Amino acid sequence: LDDGAHNLTATATDTAGNTGAASAALTVTIDTGDPIAPTALDLDAGSDTGITTDDITSATTPTISGTAEAGSTVKLTSDIAGIVVATTTADGGGAWTVATDELDDGAHNLTATATDTAGNEGVDSTPLTVTIDTTAPTVTVDLLTTGDSTPSLSGTIDDAAATVLIT
């Protein structure tokens, strides 16, 4: 059968040649096509700690969303973990949202794969890079003794992107 919906009926004929009435139609849908790769992968704003939209977070179980074929099962995989870190089902419009299993610190390239209700698995999505950073920066200030009420301070910090606040 070709891809698409087909209404199938059955009849029975006995040895005397009598054929009974046709059964009620059974609709069978043939689907041999793979779903397209999920799209629009995004770290949800509620999981994007610090600067929003930078995809850097201290949340170790971040929520990711995207779109896929309606009703398909979506598997999210991390290249660092090398395993599926979340599974969900796309709704009737294709939208999906899922919290990941706990992720270790590092830059995770997350890809999503959709499997449709017929069992056809599509290709991986374009990766979304989410960086998990649970380590607070360390700052040191050099010892200074002065009679100046506005002294110049110096020190070091181990995170070039961090902000230093002197109070």
Side-chain angles (χ1 to χ4, degrees):
L1 296 174
D2 294 331
D3 276 11
H6 303 274
N7 293 319
L8 305 179
T9 59
T11 58
T13 304
D14 64 19
T15 55
N18 299 310
T19 301
S23 67
L26 172 66
T27 301
V28 175
T29 301
I30 304 299
D31 177 3
T32 60
D34 294 340
I36 62 168
T39 59
L41 272 66
D42 190 33
L43 175 64
D44 282 2
S47 290
D48 198 351
T49 60
I51 300 169
T52 57
T53 71
D54 66 357
D55 294 334
I56 300 173
T57 182
S58 61
T60 58
T61 57
T63 299
I64 309 297
S65 61
T67 57
E69 182 176 309
S72 65
T73 299
V74 178
K75 291 187 275 184
L76 197 63
T77 304
S78 165
D79 68 329
I80 289 180
I83 59 171
V84 173
V85 295
T87 302
T88 191
T89 301
D91 68 17
W96 57 270
T97 301
V98 67
T100 69
D101 294 338
E102 189 160 333
L103 300 176
D104 293 333
D105 276 19
H108 294 260
N109 289 313
L110 301 175
T111 55
T113 306
T115 302
D116 65 20
T117 56
N120 301 309
E121 185 173 313
V123 297
D124 289 348
S125 67
T126 300
L128 168 68
T129 302
V130 174
T131 301
I132 309 296
D133 181 0
T134 61
T135 305
T138 302
V139 64
T140 59
V141 178
D142 297 335
L143 181 61
L144 176 67
T145 304
T146 182
D148 187 348
S149 64
T150 57
S152 296
L153 300 175
S154 64
T156 59
I157 188 164
D158 66 353
D159 185 343
T163 301
V164 177
L165 176 65
I166 306 296
T167 57

mmCIF file of all heavy atoms in Angstrom, residues 25-78:
data_model
loop_
_atom_site.group_PDB
_atom_site.id
_atom_site.type_symbol
_atom_site.label_atom_id
_atom_site.label_comp_id
_atom_site.label_asym_id
_atom_site.label_seq_id
_atom_site.Cartn_x
_atom_site.Cartn_y
_atom_site.Cartn_z
ATOM 1 N N ALA A 25 -15.514 -0.944 7.973
ATOM 2 C CA ALA A 25 -14.220 -0.511 7.441
ATOM 3 C C ALA A 25 -13.238 -0.246 8.574
ATOM 4 O O ALA A 25 -13.598 0.306 9.621
ATOM 5 C CB ALA A 25 -14.392 0.738 6.594
ATOM 6 N N LEU A 26 -12.032 -0.667 8.366
ATOM 7 C CA LEU A 26 -10.928 -0.381 9.272
ATOM 8 C C LEU A 26 -10.007 0.581 8.541
ATOM 9 O O LEU A 26 -9.534 0.275 7.444
ATOM 10 C CB LEU A 26 -10.170 -1.667 9.620
ATOM 11 C CG LEU A 26 -8.868 -1.484 10.403
ATOM 12 C CD1 LEU A 26 -9.147 -0.938 11.803
ATOM 13 C CD2 LEU A 26 -8.108 -2.807 10.479
ATOM 14 N N THR A 27 -9.792 1.738 9.134
ATOM 15 C CA THR A 27 -8.905 2.713 8.507
ATOM 16 C C THR A 27 -7.482 2.443 8.962
ATOM 17 O O THR A 27 -7.199 2.403 10.165
ATOM 18 C CB THR A 27 -9.319 4.156 8.861
ATOM 19 O OG1 THR A 27 -10.660 4.358 8.421
ATOM 20 C CG2 THR A 27 -8.400 5.175 8.196
ATOM 21 N N VAL A 28 -6.607 2.243 8.008
ATOM 22 C CA VAL A 28 -5.195 1.994 8.267
ATOM 23 C C VAL A 28 -4.408 3.111 7.588
ATOM 24 O O VAL A 28 -4.648 3.420 6.419
ATOM 25 C CB VAL A 28 -4.761 0.627 7.698
ATOM 26 C CG1 VAL A 28 -3.271 0.425 7.857
ATOM 27 C CG2 VAL A 28 -5.541 -0.495 8.345
ATOM 28 N N THR A 29 -3.512 3.705 8.338
ATOM 29 C CA THR A 29 -2.675 4.757 7.768
ATOM 30 C C THR A 29 -1.266 4.210 7.596
ATOM 31 O O THR A 29 -0.660 3.723 8.554
ATOM 32 C CB THR A 29 -2.656 5.998 8.672
ATOM 33 O OG1 THR A 29 -3.987 6.472 8.825
ATOM 34 C CG2 THR A 29 -1.791 7.099 8.065
ATOM 35 N N ILE A 30 -0.760 4.290 6.397
ATOM 36 C CA ILE A 30 0.601 3.864 6.085
ATOM 37 C C ILE A 30 1.485 5.111 6.099
ATOM 38 O O ILE A 30 1.186 6.109 5.440
ATOM 39 C CB ILE A 30 0.678 3.178 4.704
ATOM 40 C CG1 ILE A 30 -0.299 1.996 4.622
ATOM 41 C CG2 ILE A 30 2.115 2.758 4.393
ATOM 42 C CD1 ILE A 30 -0.043 0.892 5.623
ATOM 43 N N ASP A 31 2.555 5.044 6.899
ATOM 44 C CA ASP A 31 3.479 6.177 7.027
ATOM 45 C C ASP A 31 4.893 5.606 6.996
ATOM 46 O O ASP A 31 5.358 5.032 7.973
ATOM 47 C CB ASP A 31 3.228 6.917 8.338
ATOM 48 C CG ASP A 31 4.209 8.063 8.576
ATOM 49 O OD1 ASP A 31 5.064 8.337 7.717
ATOM 50 O OD2 ASP A 31 4.120 8.688 9.656
ATOM 51 N N THR A 32 5.565 5.758 5.876
ATOM 52 C CA THR A 32 6.933 5.259 5.751
ATOM 53 C C THR A 32 7.958 6.392 5.750
ATOM 54 O O THR A 32 9.159 6.134 5.663
ATOM 55 C CB THR A 32 7.110 4.431 4.460
ATOM 56 O OG1 THR A 32 6.824 5.267 3.334
ATOM 57 C CG2 THR A 32 6.194 3.209 4.464
ATOM 58 N N GLY A 33 7.478 7.632 5.864
ATOM 59 C CA GLY A 33 8.381 8.783 5.815
ATOM 60 C C GLY A 33 8.916 9.151 7.178
ATOM 61 O O GLY A 33 8.197 9.076 8.188
ATOM 62 N N ASP A 34 10.169 9.534 7.233
ATOM 63 C CA ASP A 34 10.779 9.990 8.480
ATOM 64 C C ASP A 34 10.295 11.398 8.813
ATOM 65 O O ASP A 34 10.133 12.231 7.908
ATOM 66 C CB ASP A 34 12.302 10.012 8.359
ATOM 67 C CG ASP A 34 12.894 8.627 8.202
ATOM 68 O OD1 ASP A 34 12.212 7.646 8.560
ATOM 69 O OD2 ASP A 34 14.039 8.527 7.721
ATOM 70 N N PRO A 35 10.098 11.687 10.097
ATOM 71 C CA PRO A 35 9.751 13.068 10.466
ATOM 72 C C PRO A 35 10.952 13.989 10.235
ATOM 73 O O PRO A 35 12.104 13.533 10.255
ATOM 74 C CB PRO A 35 9.412 12.966 11.950
ATOM 75 C CG PRO A 35 10.069 11.723 12.432
ATOM 76 C CD PRO A 35 10.188 10.807 11.246
ATOM 77 N N ILE A 36 10.665 15.263 10.010
ATOM 78 C CA ILE A 36 11.762 16.222 9.859
ATOM 79 C C ILE A 36 12.437 16.422 11.213
ATOM 80 O O ILE A 36 11.868 16.101 12.260
ATOM 81 C CB ILE A 36 11.272 17.571 9.288
ATOM 82 C CG1 ILE A 36 10.275 18.238 10.234
ATOM 83 C CG2 ILE A 36 10.679 17.392 7.905
ATOM 84 C CD1 ILE A 36 9.965 19.676 9.882
ATOM 85 N N ALA A 37 13.630 16.944 11.195
ATOM 86 C CA ALA A 37 14.369 17.203 12.433
ATOM 87 C C ALA A 37 13.632 18.244 13.258
ATOM 88 O O ALA A 37 13.099 19.216 12.707
ATOM 89 C CB ALA A 37 15.777 17.694 12.114
ATOM 90 N N PRO A 38 13.579 18.065 14.581
ATOM 91 C CA PRO A 38 12.983 19.097 15.430
ATOM 92 C C PRO A 38 13.687 20.436 15.224
ATOM 93 O O PRO A 38 14.878 20.486 14.882
ATOM 94 C CB PRO A 38 13.200 18.562 16.845
ATOM 95 C CG PRO A 38 13.262 17.072 16.659
ATOM 96 C CD PRO A 38 13.988 16.897 15.351
ATOM 97 N N THR A 39 12.944 21.521 15.426
ATOM 98 C CA THR A 39 13.494 22.868 15.214
ATOM 99 C C THR A 39 13.235 23.743 16.432
ATOM 100 O O THR A 39 12.508 23.362 17.344
ATOM 101 C CB THR A 39 12.851 23.538 13.983
ATOM 102 O OG1 THR A 39 11.441 23.610 14.188
ATOM 103 C CG2 THR A 39 13.156 22.766 12.708
ATOM 104 N N ALA A 40 13.811 24.930 16.392
ATOM 105 C CA ALA A 40 13.591 25.995 17.382
ATOM 106 C C ALA A 40 13.948 25.574 18.798
ATOM 107 O O ALA A 40 13.305 26.002 19.759
ATOM 108 C CB ALA A 40 12.158 26.515 17.303
ATOM 109 N N LEU A 41 14.998 24.744 18.958
ATOM 110 C CA LEU A 41 15.418 24.376 20.304
ATOM 111 C C LEU A 41 15.841 25.628 21.051
ATOM 112 O O LEU A 41 16.554 26.486 20.512
ATOM 113 C CB LEU A 41 16.596 23.397 20.259
ATOM 114 C CG LEU A 41 16.245 21.918 20.167
ATOM 115 C CD1 LEU A 41 15.576 21.595 18.856
ATOM 116 C CD2 LEU A 41 17.468 21.070 20.381
ATOM 117 N N ASP A 42 15.388 25.731 22.322
ATOM 118 C CA ASP A 42 15.668 26.930 23.101
ATOM 119 C C ASP A 42 15.702 26.593 24.580
ATOM 120 O O ASP A 42 14.906 25.772 25.052
ATOM 121 C CB ASP A 42 14.599 27.991 22.835
ATOM 122 C CG ASP A 42 14.946 29.347 23.409
ATOM 123 O OD1 ASP A 42 16.142 29.699 23.459
ATOM 124 O OD2 ASP A 42 14.025 30.064 23.817
ATOM 125 N N LEU A 43 16.623 27.220 25.282
ATOM 126 C CA LEU A 43 16.654 27.138 26.737
ATOM 127 C C LEU A 43 15.568 28.070 27.254
ATOM 128 O O LEU A 43 15.585 29.270 26.958
ATOM 129 C CB LEU A 43 18.032 27.565 27.261
ATOM 130 C CG LEU A 43 18.200 27.640 28.772
ATOM 131 C CD1 LEU A 43 18.041 26.258 29.412
ATOM 132 C CD2 LEU A 43 19.569 28.228 29.114
ATOM 133 N N ASP A 44 14.603 27.536 27.993
ATOM 134 C CA ASP A 44 13.503 28.361 28.485
ATOM 135 C C ASP A 44 14.023 29.462 29.399
ATOM 136 O O ASP A 44 14.984 29.261 30.156
ATOM 137 C CB ASP A 44 12.481 27.508 29.228
ATOM 138 C CG ASP A 44 11.579 26.735 28.296
ATOM 139 O OD1 ASP A 44 11.756 26.822 27.066
ATOM 140 O OD2 ASP A 44 10.678 26.040 28.802
ATOM 141 N N ALA A 45 13.381 30.619 29.340
ATOM 142 C CA ALA A 45 13.813 31.785 30.112
ATOM 143 C C ALA A 45 13.901 31.479 31.599
ATOM 144 O O ALA A 45 14.803 31.971 32.287
ATOM 145 C CB ALA A 45 12.865 32.957 29.860
ATOM 146 N N GLY A 46 13.005 30.665 32.105
ATOM 147 C CA GLY A 46 13.025 30.318 33.525
ATOM 148 C C GLY A 46 14.243 29.512 33.938
ATOM 149 O O GLY A 46 14.582 29.452 35.115
ATOM 150 N N SER A 47 14.905 28.881 33.002
ATOM 151 C CA SER A 47 16.117 28.097 33.282
ATOM 152 C C SER A 47 17.390 28.863 32.963
ATOM 153 O O SER A 47 18.480 28.420 33.308
ATOM 154 C CB SER A 47 16.117 26.806 32.452
ATOM 155 O OG SER A 47 15.140 25.910 32.893
ATOM 156 N N ASP A 48 17.273 30.004 32.281
ATOM 157 C CA ASP A 48 18.444 30.776 31.856
ATOM 158 C C ASP A 48 18.818 31.754 32.958
ATOM 159 O O ASP A 48 18.387 32.900 32.969
ATOM 160 C CB ASP A 48 18.153 31.514 30.548
ATOM 161 C CG ASP A 48 19.422 31.954 29.837
ATOM 162 O OD1 ASP A 48 20.512 31.837 30.426
ATOM 163 O OD2 ASP A 48 19.321 32.403 28.687
ATOM 164 N N THR A 49 19.629 31.280 33.919
ATOM 165 C CA THR A 49 20.024 32.119 35.049
ATOM 166 C C THR A 49 21.060 33.136 34.592
ATOM 167 O O THR A 49 21.736 32.943 33.588
ATOM 168 C CB THR A 49 20.606 31.254 36.186
ATOM 169 O OG1 THR A 49 21.748 30.558 35.696
ATOM 170 C CG2 THR A 49 19.575 30.255 36.708
ATOM 171 N N GLY A 50 21.178 34.218 35.334
ATOM 172 C CA GLY A 50 22.154 35.253 34.964
ATOM 173 C C GLY A 50 21.624 36.076 33.810
ATOM 174 O O GLY A 50 20.494 36.555 33.832
ATOM 175 N N ILE A 51 22.426 36.245 32.768
ATOM 176 C CA ILE A 51 22.040 37.035 31.597
ATOM 177 C C ILE A 51 21.096 36.191 30.745
ATOM 178 O O ILE A 51 21.457 35.106 30.296
ATOM 179 C CB ILE A 51 23.282 37.442 30.775
ATOM 180 C CG1 ILE A 51 24.240 38.277 31.634
ATOM 181 C CG2 ILE A 51 22.871 38.204 29.518
ATOM 182 C CD1 ILE A 51 25.594 38.499 30.991
ATOM 183 N N THR A 52 19.889 36.685 30.530
ATOM 184 C CA THR A 52 18.937 35.915 29.724
ATOM 185 C C THR A 52 19.391 35.882 28.272
ATOM 186 O O THR A 52 20.078 36.786 27.802
ATOM 187 C CB THR A 52 17.518 36.504 29.802
ATOM 188 O OG1 THR A 52 17.559 37.861 29.380
ATOM 189 C CG2 THR A 52 16.967 36.434 31.217
ATOM 190 N N THR A 53 19.036 34.847 27.598
ATOM 191 C CA THR A 53 19.321 34.585 26.178
ATOM 192 C C THR A 53 20.770 34.216 25.881
ATOM 193 O O THR A 53 21.120 34.060 24.723
ATOM 194 C CB THR A 53 18.892 35.738 25.243
ATOM 195 O OG1 THR A 53 19.764 36.859 25.416
ATOM 196 C CG2 THR A 53 17.445 36.127 25.468
ATOM 197 N N ASP A 54 21.627 34.054 26.908
ATOM 198 C CA ASP A 54 23.011 33.665 26.614
ATOM 199 C C ASP A 54 23.208 32.146 26.663
ATOM 200 O O ASP A 54 24.286 31.654 26.356
ATOM 201 C CB ASP A 54 24.004 34.372 27.543
ATOM 202 C CG ASP A 54 23.877 33.954 28.997
ATOM 203 O OD1 ASP A 54 22.983 33.149 29.344
ATOM 204 O OD2 ASP A 54 24.673 34.445 29.826
ATOM 205 N N ASP A 55 22.179 31.412 27.071
ATOM 206 C CA ASP A 55 22.210 29.952 27.168
ATOM 207 C C ASP A 55 23.296 29.450 28.118
ATOM 208 O O ASP A 55 23.811 28.344 27.968
ATOM 209 C CB ASP A 55 22.350 29.298 25.784
ATOM 210 C CG ASP A 55 21.117 29.555 24.919
ATOM 211 O OD1 ASP A 55 20.024 29.762 25.472
ATOM 212 O OD2 ASP A 55 21.250 29.545 23.683
ATOM 213 N N ILE A 56 23.632 30.278 29.107
ATOM 214 C CA ILE A 56 24.521 29.874 30.200
ATOM 215 C C ILE A 56 23.671 29.876 31.462
ATOM 216 O O ILE A 56 22.976 30.855 31.750
ATOM 217 C CB ILE A 56 25.719 30.832 30.357
ATOM 218 C CG1 ILE A 56 26.552 30.859 29.072
ATOM 219 C CG2 ILE A 56 26.574 30.441 31.558
ATOM 220 C CD1 ILE A 56 27.656 31.908 29.073
ATOM 221 N N THR A 57 23.723 28.768 32.202
ATOM 222 C CA THR A 57 22.850 28.645 33.356
ATOM 223 C C THR A 57 23.527 27.889 34.485
ATOM 224 O O THR A 57 24.447 27.083 34.239
ATOM 225 C CB THR A 57 21.539 27.923 32.972
ATOM 226 O OG1 THR A 57 20.679 27.863 34.103
ATOM 227 C CG2 THR A 57 21.790 26.521 32.436
ATOM 228 N N SER A 58 23.079 28.150 35.698
ATOM 229 C CA SER A 58 23.539 27.361 36.838
ATOM 230 C C SER A 58 22.532 26.255 37.156
ATOM 231 O O SER A 58 22.768 25.430 38.031
ATOM 232 C CB SER A 58 23.744 28.260 38.066
ATOM 233 O OG SER A 58 22.519 28.874 38.440
ATOM 234 N N ALA A 59 21.425 26.215 36.423
ATOM 235 C CA ALA A 59 20.419 25.169 36.607
ATOM 236 C C ALA A 59 20.949 23.863 36.017
ATOM 237 O O ALA A 59 21.320 23.813 34.850
ATOM 238 C CB ALA A 59 19.113 25.565 35.935
ATOM 239 N N THR A 60 20.982 22.808 36.810
ATOM 240 C CA THR A 60 21.524 21.531 36.326
ATOM 241 C C THR A 60 20.468 20.647 35.671
ATOM 242 O O THR A 60 20.806 19.626 35.082
ATOM 243 C CB THR A 60 22.199 20.753 37.469
ATOM 244 O OG1 THR A 60 21.235 20.535 38.508
ATOM 245 C CG2 THR A 60 23.396 21.529 38.016
ATOM 246 N N THR A 61 19.196 21.040 35.775
ATOM 247 C CA THR A 61 18.118 20.324 35.076
ATOM 248 C C THR A 61 17.307 21.344 34.276
ATOM 249 O O THR A 61 16.128 21.571 34.550
ATOM 250 C CB THR A 61 17.207 19.556 36.066
ATOM 251 O OG1 THR A 61 16.675 20.478 37.020
ATOM 252 C CG2 THR A 61 17.963 18.451 36.771
ATOM 253 N N PRO A 62 17.949 21.966 33.294
ATOM 254 C CA PRO A 62 17.275 23.045 32.560
ATOM 255 C C PRO A 62 16.111 22.536 31.718
ATOM 256 O O PRO A 62 16.066 21.372 31.328
ATOM 257 C CB PRO A 62 18.389 23.599 31.663
ATOM 258 C CG PRO A 62 19.302 22.443 31.455
ATOM 259 C CD PRO A 62 19.282 21.683 32.755
ATOM 260 N N THR A 63 15.175 23.443 31.457
ATOM 261 C CA THR A 63 14.021 23.138 30.613
ATOM 262 C C THR A 63 14.301 23.621 29.197
ATOM 263 O O THR A 63 14.684 24.773 28.987
ATOM 264 C CB THR A 63 12.748 23.801 31.175
ATOM 265 O OG1 THR A 63 12.521 23.282 32.488
ATOM 266 C CG2 THR A 63 11.545 23.519 30.304
ATOM 267 N N ILE A 64 14.104 22.713 28.241
ATOM 268 C CA ILE A 64 14.351 22.978 26.827
ATOM 269 C C ILE A 64 13.027 22.842 26.098
ATOM 270 O O ILE A 64 12.212 21.978 26.421
ATOM 271 C CB ILE A 64 15.370 21.982 26.237
ATOM 272 C CG1 ILE A 64 16.646 21.896 27.094
ATOM 273 C CG2 ILE A 64 15.695 22.305 24.780
ATOM 274 C CD1 ILE A 64 17.439 23.174 27.197
ATOM 275 N N SER A 65 12.811 23.678 25.082
ATOM 276 C CA SER A 65 11.583 23.582 24.281
ATOM 277 C C SER A 65 11.941 23.616 22.806
ATOM 278 O O SER A 65 13.058 23.961 22.429
ATOM 279 C CB SER A 65 10.625 24.722 24.628
ATOM 280 O OG SER A 65 11.227 25.968 24.344
ATOM 281 N N GLY A 66 10.956 23.250 21.987
ATOM 282 C CA GLY A 66 11.158 23.262 20.545
ATOM 283 C C GLY A 66 9.903 22.813 19.837
ATOM 284 O O GLY A 66 8.822 22.740 20.442
ATOM 285 N N THR A 67 10.021 22.522 18.547
ATOM 286 C CA THR A 67 8.890 22.017 17.764
ATOM 287 C C THR A 67 9.331 20.766 17.009
ATOM 288 O O THR A 67 10.509 20.604 16.667
ATOM 289 C CB THR A 67 8.365 23.064 16.757
ATOM 290 O OG1 THR A 67 9.439 23.449 15.895
ATOM 291 C CG2 THR A 67 7.818 24.293 17.455
ATOM 292 N N ALA A 68 8.356 19.888 16.782
ATOM 293 C CA ALA A 68 8.594 18.637 16.064
ATOM 294 C C ALA A 68 7.274 18.201 15.453
ATOM 295 O O ALA A 68 6.240 18.870 15.634
ATOM 296 C CB ALA A 68 9.123 17.568 17.019
ATOM 297 N N GLU A 69 7.284 17.083 14.735
ATOM 298 C CA GLU A 69 6.050 16.556 14.159
ATOM 299 C C GLU A 69 5.043 16.311 15.283
ATOM 300 O O GLU A 69 5.392 15.751 16.330
ATOM 301 C CB GLU A 69 6.346 15.248 13.422
ATOM 302 C CG GLU A 69 5.123 14.651 12.759
ATOM 303 C CD GLU A 69 5.453 13.406 11.942
ATOM 304 O OE1 GLU A 69 6.387 13.479 11.108
ATOM 305 O OE2 GLU A 69 4.771 12.393 12.138
ATOM 306 N N ALA A 70 3.813 16.764 15.087
ATOM 307 C CA ALA A 70 2.762 16.602 16.094
ATOM 308 C C ALA A 70 2.634 15.143 16.510
ATOM 309 O O ALA A 70 2.631 14.245 15.674
ATOM 310 C CB ALA A 70 1.431 17.110 15.551
ATOM 311 N N GLY A 71 2.585 14.913 17.821
ATOM 312 C CA GLY A 71 2.411 13.574 18.359
ATOM 313 C C GLY A 71 3.668 12.721 18.388
ATOM 314 O O GLY A 71 3.636 11.594 18.885
ATOM 315 N N SER A 72 4.780 13.242 17.884
ATOM 316 C CA SER A 72 6.010 12.443 17.857
ATOM 317 C C SER A 72 6.671 12.420 19.234
ATOM 318 O O SER A 72 6.465 13.299 20.062
ATOM 319 C CB SER A 72 6.993 12.979 16.810
ATOM 320 O OG SER A 72 7.436 14.278 17.150
ATOM 321 N N THR A 73 7.470 11.390 19.456
ATOM 322 C CA THR A 73 8.274 11.289 20.668
ATOM 323 C C THR A 73 9.598 11.997 20.382
ATOM 324 O O THR A 73 10.251 11.714 19.384
ATOM 325 C CB THR A 73 8.535 9.817 21.032
ATOM 326 O OG1 THR A 73 7.268 9.187 21.261
ATOM 327 C CG2 THR A 73 9.402 9.691 22.274
ATOM 328 N N VAL A 74 9.962 12.913 21.266
ATOM 329 C CA VAL A 74 11.188 13.695 21.087
ATOM 330 C C VAL A 74 12.198 13.253 22.146
ATOM 331 O O VAL A 74 11.894 13.246 23.341
ATOM 332 C CB VAL A 74 10.907 15.203 21.218
ATOM 333 C CG1 VAL A 74 12.197 16.009 21.075
ATOM 334 C CG2 VAL A 74 9.880 15.650 20.185
ATOM 335 N N LYS A 75 13.391 12.865 21.667
ATOM 336 C CA LYS A 75 14.487 12.495 22.565
ATOM 337 C C LYS A 75 15.559 13.576 22.476
ATOM 338 O O LYS A 75 15.970 13.952 21.383
ATOM 339 C CB LYS A 75 15.071 11.140 22.178
ATOM 340 C CG LYS A 75 14.132 9.983 22.435
ATOM 341 C CD LYS A 75 14.803 8.646 22.200
ATOM 342 C CE LYS A 75 14.719 8.277 20.749
ATOM 343 N NZ LYS A 75 15.253 6.951 20.455
ATOM 344 N N LEU A 76 16.001 14.065 23.632
ATOM 345 C CA LEU A 76 17.035 15.088 23.724
ATOM 346 C C LEU A 76 18.323 14.410 24.200
ATOM 347 O O LEU A 76 18.321 13.704 25.214
ATOM 348 C CB LEU A 76 16.590 16.161 24.718
ATOM 349 C CG LEU A 76 17.283 17.501 24.719
ATOM 350 C CD1 LEU A 76 17.064 18.214 23.386
ATOM 351 C CD2 LEU A 76 16.757 18.363 25.854
ATOM 352 N N THR A 77 19.414 14.616 23.438
ATOM 353 C CA THR A 77 20.688 13.961 23.731
ATOM 354 C C THR A 77 21.765 15.013 23.958
ATOM 355 O O THR A 77 21.803 16.030 23.264
ATOM 356 C CB THR A 77 21.096 13.050 22.554
ATOM 357 O OG1 THR A 77 20.046 12.119 22.314
ATOM 358 C CG2 THR A 77 22.373 12.290 22.853
ATOM 359 N N SER A 78 22.652 14.764 24.925
ATOM 360 C CA SER A 78 23.795 15.635 25.199
ATOM 361 C C SER A 78 25.058 14.979 24.675
ATOM 362 O O SER A 78 25.283 13.788 24.920
ATOM 363 C CB SER A 78 23.942 15.868 26.705
ATOM 364 O OG SER A 78 25.224 16.409 26.992
#
